[in-house]
Amino acid sequence: MTTEQQRAQWRRDRDRITQVAETLRRASRRQQAESQVGRAPIVPAERYVLVGFLDELALAAGRGDLPAGVRRVGLELCDALMRELGDIQPTTT
């Protein structure tokens, strides 16, 4: 049986991961547009695989399907990606 507190945490985790996926998606689109006009290198296809992975991770987090260790590592990955993109917003868990 899950509590309201657990469900709220799952929603926060889902929202955080979704936010990172959207930020990465926007950055990739911008880079892709710049590469098409010759102002930036081509965006690697792996970037879109990572965005898809984050989308799936967010869905699982929202349902509470992630084991604690996977959840923790997923949120750490999100923090690292945000630092890399220069949009630092630490996760509170």
Side-chain angles (χ1 to χ4, degrees):
M1 186 89 170
T2 59
T3 66
E4 283 302 312
Q5 185 177 9
Q6 287 172 314
R7 288 188 187 126
Q9 181 64 47
W10 296 344
R11 285 189 296 272
R12 283 192 300 273
D13 294 345
R14 179 201 60 212
D15 293 345
R16 176 69 179 148
I17 296 168
T18 299
Q19 174 192 15
V20 173
E22 282 301 315
T23 301
L24 189 58
R25 191 177 283 118
R26 278 192 307 274
S28 297
R29 283 187 199 129
R30 191 172 33 254
Q31 284 180 312
Q32 189 175 35
E34 289 180 2
S35 73
Q36 288 177 347
V37 295
R39 289 190 296 189
I42 295 173
V43 178
E46 291 82 13
R47 178 76 55 90
Y48 295 103
V49 172
L50 178 59
V51 170
F53 170 73
L54 291 174
D55 289 338
E56 291 297 323
L57 197 64
L59 286 173
R63 292 188 307 258
D65 290 344
L66 294 179
V70 174
R71 179 183 150 276
R72 180 185 51 78
V73 170
L75 292 172
E76 287 174 6
L77 171 65
C78 289
D79 287 344
L81 288 169
M82 293 306 278
R83 280 192 302 274
E84 180 182 307
L85 293 170
D87 187 11
I88 302 171
Q89 298 173 0
T91 303
T92 55
T93 56

